[in-house]
Amino acid sequence: NNSNIGGKRSIVKLTDEMINECYIKGKECYENGTADYLKISQEISEKTGMNSRSAYMYLMAVKSMIAGEPFKRAISNRATEKYFEYIRRDYGITGLKKALDCVKKHVEYRKSCGLIADGLENLCSKVEATL
């Protein structure tokens, strides 16, 4: 999560507030059919300090997980774990299974690009064990 402050790029630590706000807004967008993710990502950025491009990726990941559609841009394992929890709470086991399938496809995509996805694989195994 990078931010451009005074012409210099700085790293902004991903906070629970950022993760939560992306879930809340991503869920609202999915349920309402809202498609203005760029505007919403800017609002998240202004509210939480999260880089708007990062907020956009997280919003899209939330939408994809709820819809059960694969996504390609990586989000943190911590956020993925929280999103699994929230989806289970909000959409039940059926929703969790869709999200799990989505993340497994994301893992396969990452591997096909030669990227490591051990943390996500372990997380998927952990979630699968709860089903």
Side-chain angles (χ1 to χ4, degrees):
N1 190 28
N2 297 319
S3 184
N4 193 344
I5 300 171
K8 296 181 180 180
R9 293 184 72 83
S10 63
I11 303 295
V12 176
K13 184 179 183 322
L14 184 67
T15 66
D16 286 344
E17 178 189 17
M18 293 169 182
I19 291 169
N20 296 342
E21 192 67 20
C22 287
Y23 179 78
I24 291 165
K25 294 299 184 182
K27 179 184 171 193
E28 286 174 10
C29 290
Y30 173 78
E31 290 180 352
N32 299 330
T34 305
D36 199 350
Y37 290 95
L38 290 174
K39 179 182 175 196
I40 293 165
S41 64
Q42 186 60 43
E43 291 170 3
I44 291 169
S45 175
E46 290 168 7
K47 180 177 180 180
T48 67
M50 184 178 200
N51 177 284
S52 63
R53 289 178 298 242
S54 296
Y56 180 82
M57 290 186 302
Y58 279 65
L59 283 169
M60 298 308 292
V62 167
K63 178 192 88 68
S64 295
M65 288 177 75
I66 294 170
E69 301 166 350
F71 60 97
K72 294 185 177 178
R73 298 302 302 255
I75 64 171
S76 76
N77 291 351
R78 185 171 63 121
T80 304
E81 184 170 19
K82 285 186 176 284
Y83 295 159
F84 278 142
E85 292 170 16
Y86 300 156
I87 290 169
R88 181 181 208 139
R89 176 194 69 205
D90 296 339
Y91 298 96
I93 295 296
T94 301
L96 180 61
K97 286 180 179 178
K98 283 172 48 174
L100 183 60
D101 185 55
C102 165
V103 174
K104 285 180 170 182
K105 289 176 182 168
H106 176 69
V107 166
E108 291 308 312
Y109 169 76
R110 290 188 59 77
K111 288 172 140 183
S112 75
C113 295
L115 300 169
I116 297 170
D118 295 345
L120 278 178
E121 282 184 300
N122 292 337
L123 179 55
C124 286
S125 294
K126 178 180 164 186
V127 170
E128 224 167 9
T130 70
L131 297 176

